[in-house]
Amino acid sequence: MTETESTGPRHTGAQPGELGEDDVEVRLGANLTHLPIVRSIAANVAVRADFDLDAIADLRLAVDEACSTLITRAVAGSTMTCRFVIDDGELRFHGTVASAEQEAPSTASFGWKVLTTLADTANTWLDSEGRDGADGPHGQVHVELTKRKPTLT
């Protein structure tokens, strides 16, 4: 069953700026050409966490969709931050990017439906308390998802 939310932040793992021992965080230019890098990192983290091949494939696609969502809302020249946290049989992804958008990404879009089909939980929100840039005020768009290890029955 997939849980979708768009009400606000759900804190995962260490506090912002802090990384747990097994956490992975990467910062890249918010550019679609970087999607293969993030997909590869997602797959490698999931392999390390002993996910099965189907779950790894789902996670790669879900992270791709999450990052695509962020990149299309990013302020030109901004940085996308992606964090992967392994905890209690699940892998959590949290991505964020500076954006001039006034609303969180739509949870009614086809892309969001794909993301929520592939992930166990998904959440998006807009943190409007950002910094001012040359082209206006910037907030932060967040996308967070969780993929759990399949249970053997």
Side-chain angles (χ1 to χ4, degrees), residues 79-132:
T79 300
M80 178 174 62
T81 302
C82 301
R83 178 180 286 194
F84 299 87
V85 176
I86 302 167
D87 189 33
D88 294 331
E90 67 182 23
L91 195 153
R92 292 186 306 267
F93 167 83
H94 179 217
T96 186
V97 70
S99 177
E101 297 284 325
Q102 300 298 312
E103 295 180 10
S106 172
T107 58
S109 70
F110 177 75
W112 189 261
K113 299 299 181 196
V114 169
L115 191 154
T116 57
T117 299
L118 297 167
D120 292 303
T121 65
N123 188 17
T124 185
W125 69 95
L126 177 67
D127 185 1
S128 60
E129 298 171 13
R131 57 190 179 281
D132 286 337

Side-chain angles (χ1 to χ4, degrees), residues 41-63:
I41 293 169
N44 282 302
V45 171
V47 166
R48 189 182 71 182
D50 201 29
F51 277 64
D52 67 23
L53 292 177
D54 289 336
I56 292 168
D58 287 352
L59 182 66
R60 282 173 50 99
L61 291 172
V63 168

